Amino acid sequence: MSKVIFTAALTGAIHTPSMSPYLPFTPQQLIDDAERCYNAGAAVVHVHARNPENGSPSSDGAIFKEVLSGVKARCKVVITPTTGGSPTMTPEERIAVVRALEPEMATFNAGSLNFALYPVLQKYKEFKYEWEEAYLAGTESFIFSNHFHSLHVFSKTMNEVGARPELEIYDVGHINNLAQLVSEGYLKEPLYLQFVLGILGGIPATTNHLMHLINTARNQLGDFRWSVCAAGRFQFPMGVVAMLEGGFMRVGLEDNLYLEKGVLAKSSAEQIEKAIRIGRELGFEPATPDEAREILQLKGIDKVKY
Ligand code: KMH
Ligand code: ZN
């Protein structure tokens, strides 16, 4: 069986601190968590920056630099910073980390969609920080904008610094966007797709929808590798389908706060351990960071600017 790349998405910009005491948001917590995930078998960690004072999503380059260089000093895991940022960031703020730190890989959101988090307000009533409730409520009128001009600017910037775009696909039309970008020369194959399932505003997390995405990509794109990132309770089931279909798996507290029903995960590393345990039962071995670099044709950690 070929190797599976396990990715740990440490913190994101979806969950807020009051939803789990285990959600890391200071640089030190993120560095420690990244190392724990590496030791648990993750080949890639995906990182957002957050304000260390109150856990609010941040595009501050100094925070990204502190986290990425801190992780690199501990272990040679592949680090994929976000260019998705948060609902409160401009495209320029979102792409700044790629220009500044020239990472091996960065997320690239392949199209626009509603990105709604407001329904969680039915579950969470008390908040520790004043920003949390307004942030979540504000997503009722938020469109996650990734129009073609921004897709052109983001892909051009990543090409210039040799950062591989991890192409986040939230719905089937986003695959067509990528086919257009390939035809225009902005993206070069082999591509690396991250099918993101279960975001309210994007494609639901079902096996049928995932198979539709895979088959559409096989029809519309040339050579590609792919992974699955599913939200909440769909994280592990859809990750198993991914492995069985020859894909890779992303877990982490960015996408799911739980280890199992009703049990909060104490770190993304616990989810990595569970994912690798399940994978091994099915005959899949985790790829090392260097194996992931080979599979994804990354430039190497010696060529980053952090
Ligand atoms: N938050 C995930 C649903 C990004 O950071 O650019 C998708 C994601 C994209 O991680
Ligand atoms: Zn993210």
Side-chain angles (χ1 to χ4, degrees):
M1 290 275 191
S2 56
K3 293 291 187 87
V4 171
I5 295 174
F6 290 93
T7 296
L10 302 182
T11 187
I14 293 173
H15 297 122
T16 66
S18 302
M19 298 178 182
S20 169
Y22 306 111
L23 185 72
F25 61 80
T26 69
Q28 196 54 57
Q29 287 169 341
L30 291 167
I31 293 165
D32 292 345
D33 235 22
E35 187 179 29
R36 272 195 289 271
C37 291
Y38 166 78
N39 290 333
V44 181
V45 293
H46 167 58
V47 173
H48 288 239
R50 290 204 187 221
N51 177 332
E53 303 302 316
N54 64 9
S56 58
S58 169
S59 61
D60 183 339
I63 295 175
F64 271 115
K65 181 146 181 124
E66 183 180 351
V67 174
L68 270 65
S69 49
V71 174
K72 184 182 165 203
R74 298 276 195 87
C75 62
K76 296 298 174 264
V77 73
V78 176
I79 310 172
T80 306
T82 181
T83 66
S86 80
T88 54
M89 292 178 202
T90 65
E92 292 67 31
E93 287 170 327
R94 289 167 45 191
I95 193 64
V97 63
V98 171
R99 286 206 182 87
L101 303 184
E102 301 191 7
E104 293 183 86
M105 189 151 64
T107 63
F108 177 97
N109 292 275
S112 304
L113 69 152
N114 291 341
F115 201 115
L117 307 174
Y118 71 88
V120 296
L121 292 172
Q122 289 156 26
K123 177 176 175 183
Y124 299 98
K125 304 288 185 195
E126 303 291 317
F127 294 97
K128 188 174 171 193
Y129 300 104
E130 40 71 39
W131 64 271
E132 293 181 68
E133 186 169 8
Y135 178 81
L136 295 166
T139 64
E140 183 187 9
S141 48
F142 172 61
I143 295 175
F144 186 23
S145 169
N146 297 290
H147 49 56
F148 271 97
H149 177 64
S150 72
L151 299 181
H152 290 156
V153 169
F154 278 38
S155 50
K156 196 162 167 293
T157 304
M158 291 186 193
N159 294 338
E160 282 161 7
V161 305
R164 166 168 292 285
E166 177 186 293
L167 305 161
E168 314 294 318
I169 293 167
Y170 298 81
D171 213 335
V172 67
H174 293 171
I175 297 171
N176 200 42
N177 295 354
L178 297 180
Q180 177 65 23
L181 293 171
V182 170
S183 74
E184 293 173 338
Y186 283 95
L187 292 177
K188 287 172 194 51
E189 291 162 343
L191 303 179
Y192 179 39
L193 314 180
Q194 183 75 254
F195 293 124
V196 182
L197 306 174
I199 295 296
L200 180 56
I203 201 164
T206 70
T207 306
N208 277 342
H209 285 311
L210 175 54
M211 290 314 301
H212 182 49
L213 290 173
I214 296 167
N215 292 325
T216 303
R218 286 173 179 155
N219 291 337
Q220 286 207 275
L221 303 174
D223 188 14
F224 64 88
R225 312 280 182 279
W226 58 278
S227 174
V228 166
C229 152
R233 66 183 186 281
F234 304 105
Q235 182 179 61
F236 286 98
M238 300 315 293
V240 170
V241 177
M243 287 192 275
L244 295 175
E245 285 296 324
F248 307 140
M249 182 173 177
R250 165 169 145 171
V251 294
L253 300 192
E254 170 165 347
D255 308 315
N256 172 30
L257 293 173
Y258 291 83
L259 190 60
E260 57 191 75
K261 189 169 169 49
V263 180
L264 285 172
K266 291 188 175 52
S267 80
S268 296
E270 283 192 343
Q271 293 177 344
I272 286 286
E273 283 162 0
K274 177 174 175 178
I276 290 177
R277 199 167 51 239
I278 295 169
R280 284 206 161 107
E281 290 295 334
L282 299 170
F284 300 104
E285 277 301 311
T288 64
D290 280 346
E291 286 169 336
R293 290 184 170 96
E294 212 173 302
I295 294 165
L296 301 177
Q297 299 175 26
L298 304 185
K299 67 178 179 180
I301 198 154
D302 54 327
K303 298 197 175 60
V304 301
K305 288 258 177 67
Y306 56 83

